[in-house]
Amino acid sequence: MKDKAFWNNFYSDLNSPIPQTSKFLKESLGFLRKGKAFEIACGTGWNAFYLADNGFNVEAIDFSNVAIEQAIKKNQDEGKNIDFKVQSLDFYLAPIQKYDTVVITDFKCSGRILDEMKKGLVIGGTLLMECFTVNHVKNNPNGYIEVEDCYKPFELVRLLKDWNVLYYDERIINNDYRVRVLAIKPGF
């Protein structure tokens, strides 16, 4: 996994790819539970801004202080009220049943973090994830994504075995090999 210095340089480099709002997030918006949203590994906040523009009260974290500084500046410039924070997930503990929706894109969560997200969601809360699979690295060996940042085939669905999975796929999208999931926290 790339370290904080790599991501600070990535977000400082004007030649880095410009992040875009997740297409899967846009397509799934109507299925997400409205209210308090939490985005993990938000980068410069593209998904967080999209959620705020669509009526969510948003908190977003990333461990890159450069990315969060850029997100905070944009937040102030646009007069939004998104709570951006620099936060490492190494020792992260989610507040109990605080969020209606959790969004995670382009970041591989450990089983422990997914358990924390389950704890942090209200019953019936939604989890949306869109991440890379190991096939991405095999087919794009010169990219910045490393194999340890990717899910193996069906790994994510196994990690979410106790969730109500509404949608799951692993596919190629514009030469990106992705896993996408939309799940609901069960009431049991």
Side-chain angles (χ1 to χ4, degrees):
M1 183 169 127
K2 304 280 189 199
D3 64 7
K4 185 175 181 175
F6 172 87
W7 288 110
N8 279 340
N9 287 334
F10 179 88
Y11 288 114
S12 296
D13 185 352
L14 298 177
N15 294 318
S16 292
I18 297 172
Q20 301 292 318
T21 302
S22 163
K23 186 176 177 189
F24 183 53
L25 173 60
K26 290 178 181 179
E27 293 167 354
S28 303
L29 185 67
F31 297 99
L32 300 179
R33 183 175 173 133
K34 287 286 189 172
K36 186 93 172 152
F38 183 56
E39 184 182 11
I40 293 178
C42 68
T44 55
W46 287 90
N47 292 328
F49 286 106
Y50 180 78
L51 289 165
D53 289 343
N54 284 281
F56 288 85
N57 180 1
V58 183
E59 289 181 25
I61 62 170
D62 197 288
F63 79 154
S64 168
N65 55 298
V66 172
I68 293 297
E69 288 166 8
Q70 291 176 16
I72 289 171
K73 180 169 182 350
K74 181 178 179 182
N75 193 38
Q76 291 168 342
D77 291 348
E78 294 185 7
K80 306 279 187 210
N81 192 25
I82 301 169
D83 184 10
F84 287 104
K85 291 183 182 162
V86 176
Q87 171 79 53
S88 168
L89 291 174
D90 290 341
F91 302 103
Y92 180 79
L93 298 173
I96 296 173
Q97 295 192 16
K98 181 177 182 181
Y99 305 109
D100 296 289
T101 291
V102 171
V103 173
I104 305 166
T105 60
D106 298 338
F107 177 74
K108 181 183 178 186
C109 287
S110 67
R112 185 190 76 77
I113 294 299
L114 288 174
D115 288 344
E116 287 298 318
M117 292 308 97
K118 190 173 187 180
K119 182 174 74 175
L121 278 169
V122 298
I123 293 171
T126 49
L127 171 70
L128 179 138
M129 294 181 69
E130 180 179 23
C131 307
F132 292 103
T133 67
V134 292
N135 286 330
H136 184 79
V137 176
K138 290 177 187 173
N139 292 286
N140 297 286
N142 298 323
Y144 63 91
I145 304 299
E146 295 178 348
V147 74
E148 49 275 349
D149 298 325
C150 302
Y151 286 101
K152 296 174 187 162
F154 303 106
E155 178 182 7
L156 185 54
V157 78
R158 284 191 298 274
L159 289 170
L160 297 173
K161 68 183 181 299
D162 296 333
W163 295 68
N164 294 328
V165 176
L166 298 178
Y167 181 84
Y168 182 89
D169 75 10
E170 295 184 20
R171 64 167 63 188
I172 305 168
I173 303 168
N174 299 326
N175 205 37
D176 285 345
Y177 292 74
R178 299 282 192 160
V179 56
R180 304 181 310 171
V181 66
L182 178 61
I184 296 176
K185 177 181 174 176
F188 54 87

